[in-house]
């Protein structure tokens, strides 16, 4: 294939994901009219329409959907092959942008050190991911790979190495009657107003980070919603609610006004590496292997 043909395929893949010519052009660093031109040329080569465009929306035709299903894995494999050869030729040069939600874990620190040792020519950049938007940075190509709290059910993302399975902790103000306890049961959560997460995080993910009813059927009062961990900790310190946190985050945010008490009987929190299905690279896989080696 010529370079122009590859660009046509790239334009189709991005447009199929965005379903918006303007956003597709922004991602491809070309004008909206250029995206339209690339699509028309590709459709002429195929001999049929792949995209339906009206004044209100952009959709895939049935043939376009079939074409996308076959093109995505082939294109991803092709890019991975090129990335592997390029990385070998350059000794692992480039940049790997790693997103971390919250404080991450000790495994991530070790994995980053191991990755840097294995690929000294590759620059690693660590980016903090907001609590309320665990997957957005990967979906918007702001990071190459991210370590986030699970679950993860996004169809456009890949779930890689799962690690740091730890008991959940309840952050509460030190003046709360149960703050001196060495552990809590899920039934005890009914005694607190639980701070939740607001924002663009998927509903299933937000529900997994909180509890609205105990196993015994007692309702758990709903506290304020926050968009960042820091907001949540500040509300806890002010006595305006309690917040469930994973163990590494609780250790990282230790402060005098807040007690962290483990909650036995709840499912453990877990972190997972995620990356975009269409933007997998050799360095992404190498970092996933580094996390697997230390966890």
């Amino acid at each position: 294939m010529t370079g122009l043909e590859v660009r046509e395929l790239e334009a189709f893949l991005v447009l199929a994901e965005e379903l918006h010519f303007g956003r597709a052009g922004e991602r491809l660093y070309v004008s909206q009219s250029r995206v339209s031109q690339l699509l028309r040329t590709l459709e002429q080569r195929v001999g049929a329409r792949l995209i339906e465009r009206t004044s209100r929306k952009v959709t895939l035709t049935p043939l376009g959907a079939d074409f996308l299903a076959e093109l995505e894995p082939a294109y991803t494999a092709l890019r991975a092959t090129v990335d592997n050869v390029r990385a070998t030729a350059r000794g692992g040069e480039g940049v790997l942008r790693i997103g971390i939600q919250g404080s991450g874990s000790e495994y991530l620190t070790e994995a980053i050190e191991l990755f840097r040792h294995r690929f000294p020519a590759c620059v690693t950049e660590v980016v903090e991911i907001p609590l309320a938007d665990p997957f957005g940075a990967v979906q918007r190509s702001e990071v190459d790979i991210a370590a986030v709290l699970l679950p993860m059910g996004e169809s456009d993302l890949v779930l890689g190495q799962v690690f740091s399975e730890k008991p959940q902790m309840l952050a509460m103000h030190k003046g709360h009657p149960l703050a001196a306890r060495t552990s809590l049961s899920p039934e005890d959560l009914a005694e607190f107003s639980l701070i939740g997460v607001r924002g663009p995080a998927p509903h299933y993910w937000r529900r997994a980070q909180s509890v609205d009813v105990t196993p015994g059927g007692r309702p758990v009062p709903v506290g304020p919603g926050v968009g960042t961990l820091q907001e949540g900790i500040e509300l806890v310190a002010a006595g305006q609610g309690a917040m469930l946190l994973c163990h590494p985050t609780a250790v990282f945010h230790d402060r005098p006004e807040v007690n962290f008490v483990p909650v036995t009987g709840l499912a453990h929190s877990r972190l997972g590496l995620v990356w975009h299905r269409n933007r997998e690279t050799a360095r992404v896989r190498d970092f996933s292997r580094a996390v697997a080696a230390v966890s």
Side-chain angles (χ1 to χ4, degrees):
M1 292 187 295
T2 67
L4 179 60
E5 290 171 330
V6 171
R7 196 60 168 162
E8 291 163 9
L9 297 177
E10 290 175 342
F12 172 73
L13 287 169
V14 173
L15 187 56
E17 183 179 334
E18 295 290 346
L19 295 178
H20 190 282
F21 280 79
R23 290 195 298 269
E26 290 175 1
R27 281 184 48 184
L28 292 166
Y29 299 101
V30 299
S31 66
Q32 181 172 327
S33 61
R34 177 59 175 157
V35 177
S36 298
Q37 181 186 21
L38 290 168
L39 176 64
R40 284 197 302 272
T41 305
L42 178 61
E43 288 178 330
Q44 289 170 2
R45 295 182 192 278
V46 172
R49 295 187 64 83
L50 302 172
I51 297 284
E52 290 289 352
R53 180 183 185 181
T54 69
S55 59
R56 293 188 175 184
K57 63 180 181 179
V58 176
T59 58
L60 291 169
T61 66
L63 181 63
D66 292 341
F67 183 56
L68 176 65
E70 294 196 29
L71 176 61
E72 275 188 315
Y75 184 78
T76 299
L78 176 61
R79 286 198 58 175
T81 300
V82 173
D83 288 337
N84 284 331
V85 173
R86 182 184 292 121
T88 301
R90 297 181 178 180
E93 291 180 3
V95 177
L96 181 71
R97 299 164 300 170
I98 306 166
I100 297 179
Q101 188 182 34
S103 59
S105 76
E106 69 276 12
Y107 297 119
L108 284 174
T109 301
E110 295 178 25
I112 291 172
E113 292 178 355
L114 176 60
F115 180 85
R116 287 171 174 167
H117 174 74
R118 289 177 173 176
F119 306 99
C122 182
V123 176
T124 53
E125 297 178 355
V126 178
V127 179
E128 183 178 2
I129 292 178
L131 175 67
D133 193 12
F135 311 121
V138 177
Q139 292 169 322
R140 294 188 297 269
S141 299
E142 295 169 1
V143 298
D144 302 304
I145 189 169
V148 299
L149 274 169
L150 299 180
M152 195 290 289
E154 305 305 290
S155 61
D156 57 337
L157 303 183
V158 174
L159 176 61
Q161 183 66 28
V162 176
F163 61 101
S164 194
E165 183 171 338
K166 300 285 186 179
Q168 295 198 60
M169 311 285 285
L170 187 68
M172 69 186 79
H173 189 269
K174 66 178 182 180
H176 192 280
L178 300 183
R181 296 271 293 272
T182 57
S183 66
L184 298 170
S185 73
E187 295 299 322
D188 292 323
L189 296 178
E191 305 298 325
F192 300 88
S193 293
L194 281 191
I195 296 170
V197 180
R198 56 171 166 75
H203 180 66
Y204 72 84
W205 186 91
R206 284 186 278 114
R207 281 187 57 84
Q209 311 311 320
S210 190
V211 176
D212 54 9
V213 63
T214 71
R218 300 176 64 194
V220 178
V222 178
V226 297
T228 68
L229 278 170
Q230 191 59 43
E231 290 177 14
I233 294 297
E234 291 299 331
L235 288 177
V236 172
Q240 297 185 36
M243 190 173 187
L244 284 168
L245 300 172
C246 65
H247 184 269
T249 299
V251 172
F252 184 81
H253 287 280
D254 187 28
R255 54 189 295 175
E257 307 95 333
V258 179
N259 281 14
F260 298 92
V261 182
V263 183
T264 60
L266 284 184
H268 286 189
S269 66
R270 300 183 302 157
L271 296 177
L273 293 179
V274 298
W275 58 86
H276 199 281
R277 191 173 301 279
N278 293 337
R279 296 190 285 274
E280 181 177 316
T281 67
R283 291 291 78 88
V284 163
R285 293 190 296 275
D286 289 333
F287 184 73
S288 183
R289 283 191 283 266
V291 173
V294 301
S295 59

